[in-house]
Amino acid sequence: MKLLLKTERETRCLGAALGACLRPGDVVLLTGEMGAGKSVLTRAAARGMGVQGPVPSPTFTILNIHEGARMRLYHFDLYRLEGEDALYELGLDEFIPPADGAAMIEWPQMAEEAMPADALAVTMRYALDGEAREAELTPCGAFEKARLDEALRRMKTMEDEHEYPDD
């Protein structure tokens, strides 16, 4: 399923709707070029999960854990990781999938073999000559398409009511 996101606020709306539908053990795999919207989507998902305060990118720490209202958010940025072995050496694989929260993993291709088969794959792309973004959402394995459909319904409601999450 592909969505055209014409503004950053629409990207935030999608993220908040996804975050509201995530459950403990869920994994969202985020791919796309630098600046395509992966971190914006993740920060908005954090808001949808009830995370308060800043949600910085864990580019240098690889993992930030945030307390949400319902569960924790495990925010991974694997851009600087040197492969699956490094993930295992750091012991970070034990949080994929997390038992007490959901994981948003930016740059999962850096440790592809360590990624679970049951996940929501989200690819962010530039669209309309860089003025917009395209989000391609693919439920994989046991990730239920019905939950993705619920997130899209929530997103539509936010758009209709002009309720966009702020960061």
Side-chain angles (χ1 to χ4, degrees), residues 72-138:
R72 289 180 173 160
L73 168 62
Y74 291 79
H75 181 193
F76 290 84
D77 184 332
L78 304 182
Y79 182 74
R80 298 191 185 284
L81 200 68
E82 296 181 16
E84 290 87 11
D85 291 343
L87 187 76
Y88 295 124
E89 287 170 12
L90 294 168
L92 298 177
D93 59 304
E94 67 185 75
F95 300 113
I96 305 172
D100 62 346
M104 302 282 289
I105 304 174
E106 297 183 48
W107 302 97
Q109 64 271 28
M110 302 306 284
E112 195 168 7
E113 291 181 22
M115 297 300 110
D118 301 328
L120 175 62
V122 179
T123 302
M124 300 293 295
R125 294 183 185 92
Y126 289 99
L128 302 178
D129 293 328
E131 296 298 316
R133 303 295 184 263
E134 179 185 81
E136 183 174 354
L137 300 99
T138 307

Side-chain angles (χ1 to χ4, degrees), residues 46-47 51-56 66 167:
R47 298 292 175 251
V51 172
Q52 301 294 316
V55 181
H66 304 279
D167 196 27

Side-chain angles (χ1 to χ4, degrees), residues 22-80:
L22 292 176
R23 298 179 188 158
D26 282 345
V27 175
V28 179
L29 305 173
L30 297 157
T31 59
E33 295 177 64
M34 290 266 195
K38 298 179 299 293
S39 293
V40 170
L41 191 77
T42 298
R43 280 191 292 277
R47 298 292 175 251
M49 294 171 67
V51 172
Q52 301 294 316
V55 181
S57 181
T59 301
F60 295 100
T61 59
I62 301 177
L63 170 64
N64 288 338
I65 302 172
H66 304 279
E67 294 294 331
R70 299 179 293 115
M71 63 182 158
R72 289 180 173 160
L73 168 62
Y74 291 79
H75 181 193
F76 290 84
D77 184 332
L78 304 182
Y79 182 74
R80 298 191 185 284

